[in-house]
Amino acid sequence: MDSSITSVDDYVGNYPMDVQDKLLEIRNIIIKNAPNAIEHILYGMPAYKTFGKPLVYFAAYVHHIGFYATPTGNLEFADELKNFKTGKGSIQFPMGQPLPLELIMKIVKFRVSENEQKYNLK
């Protein structure tokens, strides 16, 4: 983990332009659909929180972009994720394929709603 990376801009800037484009697409979807999310670096990757709780994370790897929406995000969209490699709370989007932007947007919106229902104690 590179401790000199302290912002999402730093993180994205460490990658080739084609990878930066993918990372920025994901970032823009998160910012647009979770405008109150706090953006920071956690576990060496871009991370977002709402109501002080994890929302989503993402990271670049050699062969894929990892997207982490917690187990509930994966469970909610299991049918739409069947063509991607997934783990308990992770999704791998292959580098050689276009990102499923609509699906990422739906997952982010779901997670925003979920955090709002669980943690917005107004």
Side-chain angles (χ1 to χ4, degrees):
M1 194 177 324
D2 185 347
S3 62
S4 69
I5 296 174
T6 59
S7 72
V8 176
D9 289 328
D10 290 344
Y11 182 89
V12 171
N14 278 325
Y15 292 93
M17 287 304 296
D18 60 327
V19 177
Q20 287 185 35
D21 290 344
K22 288 180 179 287
L23 297 172
L24 291 173
E25 284 181 303
I26 294 172
R27 182 188 197 188
N28 289 336
I29 287 171
I30 296 166
I31 290 169
K32 181 178 179 185
N33 293 283
N36 296 319
I38 305 298
E39 178 181 79
H40 58 109
I41 298 293
L42 189 62
Y43 307 118
M45 70 180 97
Y48 298 81
K49 288 184 177 181
T50 55
F51 304 102
K53 301 295 181 181
L55 183 70
V56 294
Y57 306 78
F58 62 86
Y61 299 94
V62 173
H63 299 291
H64 70 275
I65 300 288
F67 188 72
Y68 308 91
T70 75
T72 59
N74 284 25
L75 290 171
E76 182 70 19
F77 296 94
D79 286 345
E80 294 175 73
L81 292 170
K82 65 184 175 216
N83 293 323
F84 299 99
K85 185 174 182 181
T86 60
K88 184 176 179 181
S90 65
I91 307 161
Q92 293 183 9
F93 300 125
M95 281 293 186
Q97 298 176 12
L99 289 170
L101 301 177
E102 184 75 21
L103 176 56
I104 294 169
M105 180 190 69
K106 289 188 329 188
I107 293 170
V108 170
K109 285 182 172 185
F110 169 78
R111 291 288 300 125
V112 167
S113 175
E114 184 176 49
N115 275 7
E116 185 171 46
Q117 289 173 21
K118 288 172 81 172
Y119 305 112
N120 185 11
L121 306 175
K122 289 183 182 178

